[in-house]
Amino acid sequence: MESVIKWHTGEPKKAGTYIVTLENGLVFCDDYYCYMTLDGKVKLDWRIVDSSDILAWCPLSEIEPYKE
């Protein structure tokens, strides 16, 4: 079985778990999560990776699971 990854650029529009391609060529899995700042603003950001290091991303939900 084969699965094709459709890469996206820019910022995701919703929170979730994503596969990301980094500038250094590594592929990494990270969460894009929603939080509230101390001044009450709602923000979205990557949990582990700095957004400036991300070249492209793909939601895990777009990747088909393995089927025999």
Side-chain angles (χ1 to χ4, degrees), residues 47-65:
R47 189 166 305 279
I48 299 171
V49 178
D50 186 323
S51 62
S52 65
D53 293 334
I54 297 174
L55 291 178
W57 49 267
C58 175
L60 280 181
S61 60
E62 289 185 5
I63 299 173
E64 290 187 41

Side-chain angles (χ1 to χ4, degrees), residues 19-61:
I19 290 178
V20 297
T21 297
L22 305 179
E23 283 187 347
N24 63 8
L26 293 175
V27 175
F28 194 81
C29 189
D30 200 0
D31 292 316
Y32 195 65
Y33 72 105
C34 184
Y35 66 97
M36 187 175 291
T37 63
L38 293 174
D39 59 358
K41 294 180 182 175
V42 176
K43 299 242 180 188
L44 288 164
D45 202 0
W46 296 102
R47 189 166 305 279
I48 299 171
V49 178
D50 186 323
S51 62
S52 65
D53 293 334
I54 297 174
L55 291 178
W57 49 267
C58 175
L60 280 181
S61 60

